């Protein structure tokens, strides 16, 4: 009997045509997920589609432990999109706290307004309608359709991309930005059954978060270690462009965070002098404040006063 051909790293999606590799990955990963999935509030039935959408916005570039308390507070205050839509966008920024990347709060508020106006207050089930919401990109639309409605879509976050890179293409890390080849591979690996496809999306994501991690991966705990192309190749070191590191201290992002913290604490407009105290370097401070204004996160008022946006 001829052994199944392994996918070519150069064109893994084409190599999957007629190959049982997908099925060989699905069952062990989904079985592992059934036993090891974290009990997270957005995975519970009571979260509903809105809870799933809120979690997807919050979890972008932010770890679960930081998201959990803000998520709970958010859903307690705004259990439906219409509840958030009634508030000023600045309240969304205030409630976002220190999750980082606060433009996500504005985008989530904008999506809530659109849901209230276009869809009767219910998160749409159709993938195209989700994608048409402001602030919703390819990943978030697929994630909400899959996790909230059990639909069949490739869901490609950083964790899933890393699992596929290692298990299928034999590389330590995926490219810095999602490529057409990765999307093609993810589509080729999707189970045909909708429910199974949605479960695979969640399971492969959890595997990347808990086992197939960026550093210190736990191959001995991995349910597909016997099939993993990267492990079988001897775990070759990453040869692509350098991995992008995330710096924070001393950056404009840190200054923006300090300025927003002052405005979040205040429920009345804040004078320029209060903002000047948060950072010693005036040029960088002014640049950060100008950026916040340009992004719609801060609203300037006459007399050198500032507040979170009301519209």
């Amino acid at each position: 009997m001829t052994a199944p051909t392994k996918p070519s790293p150069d064109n893994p999606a084409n190599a999957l045509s007629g190959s049982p590799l997908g099925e060989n990955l699905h069952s062990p990963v989904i079985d592992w997920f059934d036993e090891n999935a974290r009990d997270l509030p957005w995975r519970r039935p009571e979260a509903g589609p809105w809870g799933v959408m809120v979690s997807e916005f919050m979890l972008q570039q932010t770890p679960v432990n930081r998201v959990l308390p803000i998520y709970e507070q958010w859903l307690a205050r705004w259990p439906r999109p219409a509840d958030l839509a009634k508030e000023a966008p600045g309240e969304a920024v205030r409630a976002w706290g220190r999750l980082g990347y606060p433009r996500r709060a504005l985008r989530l508020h904008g999506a809530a307004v659109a849901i209230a106006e276009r869809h009767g207050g219910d998160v749409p089930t159709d993938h195209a309608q989700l994608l048409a919401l402001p602030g919703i990109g390819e990943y978030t639309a697929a994630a909400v359709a899959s996790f909230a409605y059990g639909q069949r879509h490739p869901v490609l976050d950083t964790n899933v991309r890393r699992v596929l890179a290692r298990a299928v293409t034999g590389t330590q890390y995926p490219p810095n930005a999602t490529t057409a080849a990765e999307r093609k591979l993810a589509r080729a690996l999707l189970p045909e059954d909708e429910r199974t496809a949605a479960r695979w999306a969640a399971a492969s994501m959890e595997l990347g978060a808990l086992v197939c991690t960026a550093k210190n991966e736990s191959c001995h705990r991995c349910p597909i270690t016997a099939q993993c192309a990267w492990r079988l190749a001897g775990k070759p070191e990453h040869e692509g462009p350098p991995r992008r590191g995330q710096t924070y201290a001393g950056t404009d992002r840190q200054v923006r965070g300090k300025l927003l913290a002052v405005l979040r604490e205040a429920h009345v407009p804040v004078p320029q002098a209060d903002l000047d105290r948060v950072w010693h370097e005036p040029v960088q401070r002014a640049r950060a404040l100008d950026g916040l204004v340009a992004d719609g996160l801060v609203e300037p008022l006459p007399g050198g006063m500032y507040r979170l946006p009301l519209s």
Side-chain angles (χ1 to χ4, degrees):
M1 179 182 292
T2 305
T5 310
K6 290 182 183 178
S8 162
D10 295 327
N11 207 345
N14 285 348
L16 287 173
S17 179
S19 166
L21 176 60
E23 290 86 348
N24 290 343
L25 295 177
H26 300 152
S27 292
V29 173
I30 291 172
D31 289 346
W32 171 87
F33 183 67
D34 289 342
E35 293 292 326
N36 297 279
R38 290 168 291 180
D39 179 21
L40 300 173
W42 44 86
R43 290 179 176 163
R44 299 169 192 161
E46 60 267 25
W50 173 238
V52 172
M53 178 177 283
V54 170
S55 75
E56 288 301 330
F57 271 81
M58 290 185 173
L59 287 165
Q60 294 167 24
Q61 299 178 285
T62 307
V64 166
N65 62 337
R66 289 182 58 201
V67 166
L68 282 169
I70 303 298
Y71 173 88
E72 299 281 12
Q73 293 165 17
W74 192 283
L75 268 296
R77 181 174 179 181
W78 298 309
R80 289 179 50 81
D83 300 316
L84 176 59
K86 293 174 185 175
E87 297 268 14
E91 287 306 303
V93 176
R94 193 189 312 279
W96 199 255
R98 296 186 177 274
L99 283 182
Y101 304 100
R103 277 179 289 183
R104 292 179 292 167
L106 289 183
R107 292 176 184 140
L108 184 50
H109 182 273
V113 171
I115 290 168
E117 293 176 350
R118 303 177 198 170
H119 302 288
D122 294 321
V123 176
T125 61
D126 182 74
H127 179 267
Q129 290 180 330
L130 285 165
L131 198 54
L133 294 172
I136 301 282
E138 177 184 350
Y139 164 77
T140 305
V144 173
S146 179
F147 301 150
Y149 294 117
Q151 296 176 15
R152 182 179 181 270
H153 296 282
V155 182
L156 272 175
D157 82 333
T158 302
N159 290 313
V160 176
R161 293 174 63 225
R162 187 168 55 252
V163 168
L164 298 187
R166 291 175 179 173
V168 181
T169 67
T171 55
Q172 184 179 18
Y173 298 118
N176 282 334
T178 306
T179 65
E182 287 180 281
R183 295 187 182 96
K184 186 175 182 180
L185 173 60
R187 287 194 298 270
L189 279 172
L190 268 181
E192 289 298 324
D193 174 68
E194 274 206 327
R195 183 179 180 278
T196 306
R199 200 69 177 162
W200 160 252
S204 54
M205 186 177 295
E206 190 79 335
L207 185 67
L210 299 183
V211 175
C212 193
T213 50
K215 297 179 180 179
N216 303 316
E217 65 279 350
S218 301
C219 295
H220 64 285
R221 296 196 294 122
C222 179
I224 53 172
T225 189
Q227 301 106 292
C228 177
W230 182 57
R231 190 193 67 82
L232 292 172
K235 294 188 177 181
E237 293 290 330
H238 177 66
E239 294 181 352
R243 303 288 295 167
R244 290 186 303 226
Q246 288 193 343
T247 58
Y248 184 72
T251 62
D252 283 6
R253 185 171 158 235
Q254 182 185 22
V255 183
R256 286 164 60 100
K258 287 181 174 291
L259 293 169
L260 272 183
V262 174
L263 294 164
R264 280 198 309 269
E265 294 290 330
H267 291 270
V268 295
V270 170
Q272 176 80 53
D274 287 1
L275 298 177
D276 288 346
R277 295 190 189 99
V278 305
W279 197 252
H280 62 283
E281 209 289 303
V283 174
Q284 187 180 25
R285 186 179 65 234
R287 183 172 65 240
L289 182 58
D290 288 345
L292 290 171
V293 172
D295 289 341
L297 290 161
V298 172
E299 185 177 338
L301 301 172
M305 307 290 284
Y306 295 87
R307 69 183 178 194
L308 296 177
L310 293 183
S311 61

